[in-house]
């Protein structure tokens, strides 16, 4: 039986205008992401990795083409509908953790669940479980400034999956970490993906980590091609 397609990009185009010049970033891009799959997006800086992730994650609208998430065509949805899908079905992780500095690790992970409408006790229990799973349960009540870089990123990953999304989109999630810490953080993220069955598209310059994923893709002339 073929694996379930969770995310599909169909002939997606994305352009920007700088002065009188039109920049084409995505040009008929086609891509599918299956349940339980981890795909590495490997491309040089400026190739459009962030644009691709933002478009796939409904942060930007394509100029043409369609983004289909769990069978839903999202291109013509209202901003409110797209926001609801992002909140419930898409998790984002960036190179910088973007944790809220005034809140503890546990509170940072509970926050998106509270926004979704979960009861505080349930949100905190799930946050604690995720911290334990990421092997930093003992750091639950520490604020981001009191955590190491690797710990901060593991909290950011736990926060990204707190609402049990269908897809995880990560933009250089280990880019600020030393090789040993990067490998450890990737191990935690990989285990989470495998255990939960979600799928992930991960932009990275780290070829060793990319080689550990199910497949690798890159951007060439605005199109997504396999490596």
């Amino acid at each position: 039986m073929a694996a379930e397609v969770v995310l599909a990009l169909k002939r997606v185009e994305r352009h920007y205008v700088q002065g009188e010049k039109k920049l084409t970033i995505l040009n008929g891009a086609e891509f599918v992401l299956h349940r339980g799959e981890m795909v590495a997006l490997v491309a040089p800086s400026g190739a459009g990795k962030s644009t691709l992730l933002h478009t796939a994650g409904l942060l930007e609208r394509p100029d043409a083409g369609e983004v289909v998430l769990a069978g839903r065509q999202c291109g013509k949805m209202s901003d409110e509908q797209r926001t609801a899908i992002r909140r419930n079905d898409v998790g984002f992780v960036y190179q910088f953790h973007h944790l809220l500095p005034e809140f503890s690790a546990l509170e940072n992970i509970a926050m998106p669940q509270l926004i979704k409408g979960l009861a505080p006790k349930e949100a905190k229990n799930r946050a604690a479980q995720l911290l334990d799973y990421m092997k930093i349960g003992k750091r639950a009540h520490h604020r981001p400034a009191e955590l190491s870089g690797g710990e901060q990123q593991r909290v950011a990953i736990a926060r990204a999956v707190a609402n049990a999304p269908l897809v995880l989109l990560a933009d250089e999630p280990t880019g600020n970490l030393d090789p040993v810490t990067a490998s450890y953080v990737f191990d935690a993220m990989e285990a989470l993906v495998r255990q939960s069955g979600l799928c992930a598209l991960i932009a990275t310059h780290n070829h060793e980590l990319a080689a550990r994923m199910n497949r690798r893709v890159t951007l060439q002339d605005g199109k997504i091609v396999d490596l």
Side-chain angles (χ1 to χ4, degrees), residues 139-167:
R139 310 290 280 170
H141 300 291
H142 289 71
R143 294 184 180 182
E146 300 170 321
L147 303 175
S148 69
E151 289 169 340
Q152 290 168 345
Q153 277 301 74
R154 278 181 279 167
V155 174
I157 293 166
R159 180 183 59 183
V161 302
N163 282 337
L166 299 174
V167 59

Side-chain angles (χ1 to χ4, degrees), residues 96-142:
F96 185 73
H97 56 77
H98 294 297
L99 298 173
L100 298 172
E102 66 271 31
F103 295 103
S104 69
L106 186 130
E107 290 168 335
N108 266 280
I109 299 169
M111 195 72 65
Q113 300 175 76
L114 295 172
I115 292 171
K116 186 178 179 179
L118 253 65
K121 183 177 180 180
E122 186 177 354
K124 289 185 177 182
N125 285 342
R126 176 163 169 75
Q129 290 172 358
L130 284 167
L131 285 168
D132 285 339
Y133 193 85
M134 301 298 278
K135 299 181 180 179
I136 48 173
K138 293 181 179 179
R139 310 290 280 170
H141 300 291
H142 289 71

Side-chain angles (χ1 to χ4, degrees), residues 15 28 40 43 56 58-59 74 82 91 113 119 122 127 161 183-185 199 219:
H15 313 285
L58 309 185
L59 288 170
C74 303
R82 288 163 63 89
Q113 300 175 76
E122 186 177 354
V161 302
S183 181
Y184 195 86
V185 168
C199 55
L219 282 162

Side-chain angles (χ1 to χ4, degrees), residues 33 48 61 65 74 95 109 139 143 164 200 203 205 211-212 223:
L33 192 60
R61 289 183 184 270
C74 303
Q95 184 170 346
I109 299 169
R139 310 290 280 170
R143 294 184 180 182
H205 283 112
R212 294 168 55 182
K223 291 181 169 55

Side-chain angles (χ1 to χ4, degrees), residues 21-211:
K21 187 177 181 180
K22 180 181 178 181
L23 299 176
T24 297
I25 307 300
L26 301 177
N27 186 20
E30 301 260 351
F31 177 71
V32 293
L33 192 60
H34 300 91
R35 180 176 175 82
E37 184 179 39
M38 293 184 76
V39 177
L41 173 59
V42 183
S45 297
K49 296 191 299 296
S50 295
T51 295
L52 172 58
L53 292 172
H54 290 171
T55 304
L58 309 185
L59 288 170
E60 297 184 23
R61 289 183 184 270
D63 295 299
E66 186 60 270
V67 178
V68 183
L69 184 59
R72 296 164 297 186
Q73 296 189 3
C74 303
K76 295 183 179 179
M77 286 183 174
S78 67
D79 289 341
E80 290 78 10
Q81 289 172 313
R82 288 163 63 89
T83 297
I85 291 176
R86 281 199 309 273
R87 182 170 60 238
N88 296 325
D89 295 334
V90 183
F92 292 94
V93 182
Y94 298 97
Q95 184 170 346
F96 185 73
H97 56 77
H98 294 297
L99 298 173
L100 298 172
E102 66 271 31
F103 295 103
S104 69
L106 186 130
E107 290 168 335
N108 266 280
I109 299 169
M111 195 72 65
Q113 300 175 76
L114 295 172
I115 292 171
K116 186 178 179 179
L118 253 65
K121 183 177 180 180
E122 186 177 354
K124 289 185 177 182
N125 285 342
R126 176 163 169 75
Q129 290 172 358
L130 284 167
L131 285 168
D132 285 339
Y133 193 85
M134 301 298 278
K135 299 181 180 179
I136 48 173
K138 293 181 179 179
R139 310 290 280 170
H141 300 291
H142 289 71
R143 294 184 180 182
E146 300 170 321
L147 303 175
S148 69
E151 289 169 340
Q152 290 168 345
Q153 277 301 74
R154 278 181 279 167
V155 174
I157 293 166
R159 180 183 59 183
V161 302
N163 282 337
L166 299 174
V167 59
L168 179 67
L169 302 174
D171 196 352
E172 297 287 351
T174 62
N176 284 335
L177 306 176
D178 65 82
V180 173
T181 305
S183 181
Y184 195 86
V185 168
F186 181 82
D187 287 345
M189 184 162 54
E190 182 180 31
L192 201 56
V193 169
R194 306 297 186 206
Q195 189 73 20
S196 64
L198 62 85
C199 55
L201 177 61
I202 302 171
T204 181
H205 283 112
N206 188 321
H207 289 275
E208 290 184 7
L209 296 185

Side-chain angles (χ1 to χ4, degrees), residues 10-29:
K10 299 183 176 182
R11 300 178 298 280
V12 167
E13 296 186 13
R14 192 74 179 95
H15 313 285
Y16 299 102
V17 176
Q18 288 187 347
E20 298 181 355
K21 187 177 181 180
K22 180 181 178 181
L23 299 176
T24 297
I25 307 300
L26 301 177
N27 186 20

